[in-house]
Amino acid sequence: MEKKSGGKQGVELRAFSIVKALLCAYVVTGILLLILTLLLYKAGLSEENVNAGIILTYVISTFSGGFVIGKLTGVRKFLWGLLTGVVYFILLLLISLGVYHSLESGMTSLITTFLLCAGGGMLGGMVS
């Protein structure tokens, strides 16, 4: 008979899975931002292209994190992907606040970024 993953051990396993998924998402973020930086340096991208690249980076990164958490959990994948996208956004916001000591963008931009991160994570979880 199989044991259900409940209790303290199940919570620790889920928390560790979220950490793995977030680590994957931030590694993908670093790689994509490095590529975007090289493109900016070599090709002289316009501001619109850089903004599109950053948006694409958010979506691809949270998608990869959602995909990983979906594979690790196996149940309610879209909810775990959504949670990963939301936590990714919160960490991104905290890092921005730590670096700039204020929010550089307006509320509309924050809401859009939140929806992109949450949607990307949820889509990654659904596809996994």
Side-chain angles (χ1 to χ4, degrees):
M1 215 162 143
E2 289 184 34
K3 255 184 152 176
K4 290 186 178 180
S5 61
K8 186 177 180 183
Q9 187 177 17
V11 171
E12 289 173 358
L13 183 64
R14 299 298 168 128
F16 191 63
S17 295
I18 290 176
V19 170
K20 282 183 184 178
L22 287 171
L23 183 62
C24 173
Y26 278 106
V27 166
V28 170
T29 300
I31 292 168
L32 292 176
L33 287 178
L34 180 64
I35 292 170
L36 186 63
T37 302
L38 290 173
L39 286 173
L40 178 63
Y41 177 70
K42 292 289 183 183
L45 297 176
S46 66
E47 185 177 346
E48 293 84 23
N49 290 337
V50 172
N51 287 337
I54 290 171
I55 289 170
L56 196 60
T57 298
Y58 290 152
V59 174
I60 293 171
S61 298
T62 54
F63 179 87
S64 65
F67 189 84
V68 168
I69 195 78
K71 287 292 186 188
L72 291 174
T73 58
V75 293
R76 296 187 183 127
K77 297 176 183 184
F78 70 98
L79 287 176
W80 285 105
L82 177 68
L83 178 66
T84 301
V86 169
V87 173
Y88 178 93
F89 172 78
I90 291 169
L91 289 175
L92 190 68
L93 190 66
L94 290 175
I95 290 168
S96 295
L97 283 172
V99 170
Y100 299 114
H101 303 295
S102 69
L103 294 176
E104 297 278 323
S105 57
M107 189 56 82
T108 305
S109 177
L110 283 175
I111 291 171
T112 303
T113 304
F114 172 77
L115 291 174
L116 287 170
C117 291
M122 186 168 60
L123 184 63
M126 288 166 45
V127 169
S128 67

